[in-house]
Amino acid sequence: MDGHAGVLDSEIKLDSARGGDTKKKQEELDELQKKASELAETTINTLTTANEDLKKAAKEDQEVQRAEKAAEKKKAEKAAEKKKAEKEAAEERIEKAAEASATETTEATEGVRIVTTEGTTSEHVSIDVVSEGALVSTGTVTEPAGKNVDVKV
């Protein structure tokens, strides 16, 4: 439209310099300029509306992302609390077991003797379990039967 308007403007100037009638071309130019103006206004309105819609959508996306992050954070906090509670419960059970075993040396049934040490806490304890009266013959030497057992406390 702008190109056609430029051509009409040039023709009007040439025709007026020659003394010709420019009324019809001037009306066509005015109509063309009016349509171009309306088209530009419509385009601007459409782009403005699209821009507002994009801003609104972006804002909604940000709100959704914030909500998702808040939910993830809350879930992580709950998991951390649960893990902490489980750890505290395990530590409490270990302490109770250590207190109970620190004060006793027990003779168990069938001749198995359990010996504990006072105040010893460890994550891994090696215990030798030997049944009294059982002997293992390795050929020339007879040794007491026993088995080393690793216990995780």
Side-chain angles (χ1 to χ4, degrees):
M1 287 185 166
D2 288 338
H4 186 62
V7 169
L8 283 175
D9 189 41
S10 296
E11 287 178 0
I12 290 171
K13 287 179 184 177
L14 284 173
D15 288 348
S16 65
R18 294 181 188 159
D21 184 26
T22 61
K23 185 177 179 183
K24 187 176 179 183
K25 288 185 181 181
Q26 186 64 44
E27 288 174 2
E28 187 179 348
L29 178 61
D30 290 341
E31 184 68 28
L32 191 58
Q33 287 174 338
K34 182 180 174 186
K35 286 182 181 180
S37 177
E38 289 173 357
L39 181 60
E41 186 177 332
T42 303
T43 303
I44 289 171
N45 289 338
T46 302
L47 291 175
T48 301
T49 303
N51 189 35
E52 290 171 358
D53 290 345
L54 287 174
K55 285 180 181 179
K56 184 179 178 182
K59 186 177 180 181
E60 289 173 357
D61 281 348
Q62 286 177 343
E63 290 174 4
V64 167
Q65 287 176 352
R66 284 185 192 131
E68 287 174 352
K69 285 182 181 181
E72 287 176 14
K73 183 177 179 183
K74 190 172 183 179
K75 185 177 178 181
E77 288 173 353
K78 283 185 178 183
E81 288 175 11
K82 182 179 178 183
K83 188 174 182 179
K84 182 179 178 184
E86 289 173 353
K87 183 178 178 183
E88 288 173 355
E91 288 174 353
E92 188 176 317
R93 287 191 304 269
I94 291 170
E95 287 176 14
K96 285 181 182 178
E99 287 174 6
S101 67
T103 57
E104 299 179 6
T105 300
T106 307
E107 286 289 332
T109 59
E110 298 182 24
V112 175
R113 193 170 115 179
I114 301 171
V115 179
T116 60
T117 59
E118 291 187 29
T120 303
T121 57
S122 175
E123 287 199 23
H124 296 281
V125 178
S126 189
I127 300 173
D128 286 329
V129 179
V130 178
S131 179
E132 292 180 10
L135 299 176
V136 176
S137 176
T138 58
T140 58
V141 179
T142 303
E143 299 176 5
K147 188 170 193 172
N148 189 310
V149 178
D150 287 334
V151 177
K152 184 173 183 178
V153 180

